[in-house]
Amino acid sequence: MMNKRSIIFGLLGFALFTNVHGQEKLVEISGRIKGIGNREIRVLDPEKGEIKRFNATQDNFKIEVPLHTNDQRFFTLHLPSLGDMGPSMKTPALFFMVDDDPINIQAHIEEGSVETDTIIGANDFNAFNSTYKQLKSTGELMLVTAEYNKAFNAYNNVAQTEENLEALKAVGDKIEAIYTDQRKEITELIASNPKSLTVATLARQYTAPEMTPDAISTFLSQFDKGVIAQSFYLKELQNKLAKVSQLEVGQQAPDFTIKGVDQKAIKLSDFKGKYVLLDFWASWCGPCRREMPHVKAAYEQFKGNNFQVFAVSIDSDATAWKKELEEDNMPFVHALDVKGKQSVGDLYMVRAIPTNFLIDSTGKIIAKNLRGEELSKFLESRL
């Protein structure tokens, strides 16, 4: 079910586990979450991940925790009893910013999701919400949400007819059109407020650029340099600009070490002298599995010509990964990525799968995201 809270939850979710440093201050956070009882609450920082866990006492809580107060970042109170962080129909977390003052959070649990009632003391957060609510597109999204929920329920819970499916698609198209208008609206807001930290945060959340050097540079050029220096999310983009530039065609592929199926270490540079398709996938990924026959065909055709496939799975379930390897008979090099500071997916900025990089015998990236027969055709022109 798409609704306002799930839309915001999904958009904010990308902010977790980035790496931009700054100074911290001990901040008092208190409040009441009606319905949480004595269950666990976790505090998440967008830079460090989880930084504190504690239990409420009869819905109430009061803690002190070191937080960044000067770069307008979103922190998270996660209620793990409501579900994991990540895309979800439910909202198991609430978001907040902090200033120098203590903050008080009042919220409640409704239909398995946590809903924020008020946050007192978080002036930056309240300014952000106020600016967002003033957008014309925000009001339009709120109105169309009820229409979407009705169409979603009709198709999924009443009857999966062609008529109900078309109605659901029509509302989905309407929402996409509103998002397009929203991006234009926020871009105009940036033009008239290039020095506003609140507008910078809003823009990063709702008009995030594609992860290409040109798109990131164009996005950052809209803002005053002082705001970029002050904003957690714009500094994050600056860091990503440097990183994504290293992954462009013509650049040397970043080396890494990862454990293979037999738990022995494998380095990308071990394959120097060969053409390598570095392929990110997962056993649960439908598009990946549909693409795999093309990858296997290219491997069989060119394996005698110094070509290798290095398939890196982002599966969180090692058993499911190994089962897929056995059932689909993929006779090339495999490894399982492990989330954390040494994640290969993070090193290669993998945001969707399948994603692949074709690397030549010198270790240089020569193509990206070759799909279907494109892979074999490209290799045929090189090998």
Side-chain angles (χ1 to χ4, degrees):
M1 181 179 299
M2 183 180 291
N3 52 40
K4 180 185 175 185
R5 69 186 178 215
S6 63
I7 290 169
I8 294 175
F9 182 63
L11 287 167
L12 294 182
F14 84 92
L16 293 176
F17 310 117
T18 55
N19 185 26
V20 181
H21 298 286
Q23 294 183 339
E24 295 180 330
K25 179 182 177 181
L26 203 61
V27 177
E28 179 185 292
I29 305 173
S30 62
R32 182 171 188 258
I33 302 176
K34 187 177 179 182
I36 190 63
N38 300 321
R39 286 177 285 174
E40 184 180 275
I41 301 174
R42 299 174 185 176
V43 183
L44 306 180
D45 177 281
E47 183 176 355
K48 299 178 180 179
E50 182 184 319
I51 56 174
K52 190 176 184 69
R53 61 174 64 185
F54 61 95
N55 286 76
T57 303
Q58 296 181 348
D59 293 348
N60 297 292
F61 63 92
K62 183 177 181 179
I63 60 168
E64 285 190 333
V65 61
L67 301 175
H68 296 267
T69 63
N70 60 353
D71 58 5
Q72 204 172 91
R73 64 178 70 187
F74 286 100
F75 298 97
T76 307
L77 282 188
H78 176 212
L79 283 54
S81 60
L82 299 184
D84 296 330
M85 294 293 294
S88 174
M89 295 301 181
K90 301 291 186 180
T91 310
L94 59 84
F95 302 92
F96 63 96
M97 296 177 191
V98 294
D99 305 315
D100 292 329
D101 299 323
I103 67 168
N104 182 273
I105 298 172
Q106 298 294 313
H108 66 278
I109 296 174
E110 180 180 331
E111 296 181 353
S113 291
V114 60
E115 299 278 2
T116 303
D117 296 320
T118 61
I119 299 182
I120 299 172
N123 296 324
D124 285 348
F125 185 66
N126 292 329
F128 174 90
N129 280 338
S130 176
T131 303
Y132 176 74
K133 289 176 182 177
Q134 289 174 19
L135 297 175
K136 179 184 176 184
S137 52
T138 301
E140 293 173 346
L141 279 172
M142 293 177 70
L143 289 174
V144 80
T145 293
E147 186 179 351
Y148 180 89
N149 290 344
K150 182 179 178 181
F152 183 93
N153 181 67
Y155 180 73
N156 288 280
N157 301 321
V158 178
Q160 293 191 352
T161 63
E162 189 68 28
E163 181 181 356
N164 284 343
L165 179 60
E166 288 302 317
L168 182 59
K169 288 180 178 179
V171 184
D173 291 342
K174 191 181 296 186
I175 289 175
E176 286 302 316
I178 295 174
Y179 278 140
T180 298
D181 291 341
Q182 184 182 73
R183 286 190 286 270
K184 293 178 182 177
E185 194 174 6
I186 293 175
T187 299
E188 292 173 357
L189 195 61
I190 299 170
S192 56
N193 298 274
K195 296 183 178 182
S196 170
L197 185 57
T198 296
V199 172
T201 304
L202 185 74
R204 181 63 181 95
Q205 301 299 322
Y206 293 102
T207 63
E210 293 182 13
M211 289 296 106
T212 65
D214 287 346
I216 296 173
S217 296
T218 299
F219 181 83
L220 289 172
S221 70
Q222 302 174 98
F223 300 97
D224 182 82
K225 290 182 179 179
V227 172
I228 295 175
Q230 190 180 0
S231 167
F232 171 79
Y233 295 110
L234 296 190
K235 286 186 290 185
E236 174 203 29
L237 268 183
Q238 279 191 322
N239 289 346
K240 287 186 175 181
L241 175 59
K243 193 173 177 181
V244 76
S245 297
Q246 296 173 357
L247 298 171
E248 289 295 285
V249 170
Q251 298 297 314
Q252 287 295 122
D255 199 12
F256 60 86
T257 302
I258 192 171
K259 290 183 178 179
V261 179
D262 58 3
Q263 291 300 297
K264 292 182 179 179
I266 307 171
K267 294 180 68 175
L268 177 64
S269 54
D270 291 341
F271 303 101
K272 201 162 186 179
K274 293 187 175 184
Y275 279 68
V276 178
L277 181 73
L278 179 60
D279 189 26
F280 292 92
W281 71 291
S283 64
W284 46 261
C285 169
C288 301
R289 297 179 71 168
R290 288 193 293 272
E291 194 65 32
M292 197 57 71
H294 298 288
V295 175
K296 287 198 285 187
Y299 174 76
E300 293 296 336
Q301 183 178 354
F302 296 102
K303 64 183 180 181
N305 294 351
N306 283 330
F307 174 64
Q308 181 59 270
V309 175
F310 191 175
V312 177
S313 169
I314 66 167
D315 273 283
S316 58
D317 185 343
T319 301
W321 168 61
K322 290 179 180 178
K323 181 181 178 183
E324 182 66 19
L325 295 186
E326 293 174 1
E327 291 181 353
D328 269 17
N329 185 29
M330 295 178 275
F332 26 82
V333 179
H334 292 275
L336 182 65
D337 201 12
V338 178
K339 278 295 176 185
K341 291 183 178 179
Q342 304 302 318
S343 167
V344 179
D346 288 343
L347 177 64
Y348 277 79
M349 298 191 70
V350 176
R351 296 294 176 263
I353 51 175
T355 289
N356 64 52
F357 297 81
L358 185 60
I359 302 163
D360 72 7
S361 57
T362 68
K364 186 182 296 183
I365 298 170
I366 56 173
K368 297 195 295 186
N369 295 322
L370 295 170
R371 298 280 183 262
E373 296 180 358
E374 289 179 349
L375 175 59
S376 292
K377 289 179 179 178
F378 191 94
L379 287 171
E380 196 168 351
S381 70
R382 293 298 184 104
L383 296 177

